[in-house]
Amino acid sequence: MMYKPYSLQNFREIPQMKFLSEEQKFGIEVVGTVLPFKTDNYVVDELIDWSNFEKDPFFILNFPQREMLGEKDFSKVASLLKQNVPRAGMLNEVKKIRMKLNPNPAEQESNVPEFKGKRLNGIQHKYREIMLFFPTQGQTCHAYCTYCFRWPQFALNEFKFAMKEADQMVEYLKANTHITDVLFTGGDPAVMKTKFFEHYFDALLEANIPHLRNIRIGTKSLTYWPYRFTSDPDADELLRLFGKVKKRGINVALMAHINHPGELKTPAAKEAVNRLLNAGVQIRAQSPLLKHINDRSEIWAGNWKEQVSQGIIPYYMFVARDTGAQDYFAVTLNRAWQIYRSAYSQVSGIARTVKGPSMSCSPGKVQITGVTEIKGQKVFVLNFIQGRDPSWVGKPFFARFDPHAVWFDELKPAFGEPDFFYEQSYHEMLA
Ligand SMILES: *Cc1c(COP(=O)(O)O)cnc(C)c1O
Ligand code: SF4
């Protein structure tokens, strides 16, 4: 299958656009001017059900929706487009709107390490055991999720993390013996040609680092472009490379974003999963919880069941991040917990490897463990699944219940406490 990307410039050529009104197409243009927009022929032809596209999760996942922008911002951009203002002239207005959408959530720049007097801008190291690596060639995706928290990587150059020097990554890794995992991320590193994977992986193998146990690849390609692992010209080579890493005793884990069970039901996706598993690759699945896409417990239970039956390990349920079109996708924390709990209770123990609902916040990954009442006060029970300081992990703590809260920063400590237990050491750490 030939990969055919669609963006603002050519989306009107998609044959299925005949189902949209002119106003709907213009809406895509308006919102796509502010938030990145890209899809491909696989998503369009194999995933989206065009007979009901307005409600289709995959349509909403890739095609910008009018409600993703506030009314005022939408009108502003719409009127600029109608006046045919040249793109350069619009940029200022567009940038103002983007900056309102919290383009840099969870203080990611504080994860960028300094090493031998230099900031390593293609690395993030927040949790002791795991380092993120942003290979320069992997900083785009086959198609863009409208909920993506990395959207500023595509839309705003100043928020770009990227690195192409394998030796810096290797040196940093050698010097930090606590790190067991390197996670290749982006964007989607699986957009890279196999020769780039080879460049990085060979550098890691040659360095012979005993503490390196897992190479992870964060990717959406499994379900946006499964041919990456089946019929692309360098697909076989990629699987052989994974096999080679595996033979050297390093686990290769594909961290697949799978938002909805429908993504796993096409023949192409099934074949990709099969081939990866046969090559010895572990596949783990994660997704945010998103209104309009997967905000029902049956969808999650169905997703985990489908994953397990194909040999995929359910891994994380995230709360949608506080960035970009968050208002459009937001589910309250209370409801997130209920959906998680209900879905969890619908599956057998083999699918209960999943953790969540989890918020990726600046201090760490905070899980909503439950809602309960203690001495007459209704509270959220919270827990760090990951912390900037590993000693915070696994200690339950309490926030006042708030039925409307959609993100951690809206929560206040319960029982009249001035701070959460970790806050003082967190502020000292960042200072
Ligand atoms: C989620 C995340 C990781 C991975 O954490 P695991 O719990 O090991 O999967 C690593 N770094 C950052 C910055 C993260 O947000
Ligand atoms: S595939 Fe991942 S990085 Fe790419 S747009 Fe989707 S969420 Fe963002």
Side-chain angles (χ1 to χ4, degrees), residues 253-318:
L254 202 83
M255 313 302 287
H257 298 205
I258 302 173
N259 308 112
H260 190 282
E263 288 169 61
L264 287 170
K265 293 188 174 152
T266 70
K270 286 184 176 167
E271 191 194 343
V273 169
N274 250 323
R275 296 191 90 215
L276 284 159
L277 294 177
N278 285 335
V281 174
Q282 199 174 64
I283 309 177
R284 292 177 187 265
Q286 56 194 27
S287 165
L289 170 60
L290 304 155
K291 191 157 82 188
H292 308 291
I293 308 243
N294 61 17
D295 59 338
R296 286 192 299 122
S297 64
E298 294 72 31
I299 298 178
W300 281 87
N303 201 357
W304 297 334
K305 284 183 200 165
E306 183 63 34
Q307 288 164 15
V308 167
S309 74
Q310 292 193 35
I312 301 173
I313 307 163
Y315 189 57
Y316 269 131
M317 175 201 271
F318 292 117

Side-chain angles (χ1 to χ4, degrees), residues 111 124 126-127 130 132 216 315-316 321 365 386:
N111 306 341
Q124 288 190 27
K126 177 170 174 179
Y127 306 130
I130 170 161
L132 311 189
R216 307 194 208 172
Y315 189 57
Y316 269 131
R321 293 219 192 201
K365 283 186 164 62
Q386 285 282 12

Side-chain angles (χ1 to χ4, degrees), residues 325-338:
Q326 186 205 22
D327 290 345
Y328 181 82
F329 292 112
V331 173
T332 65
L333 300 182
N334 181 40
R335 215 169 117 59
W337 166 68
Q338 284 173 351

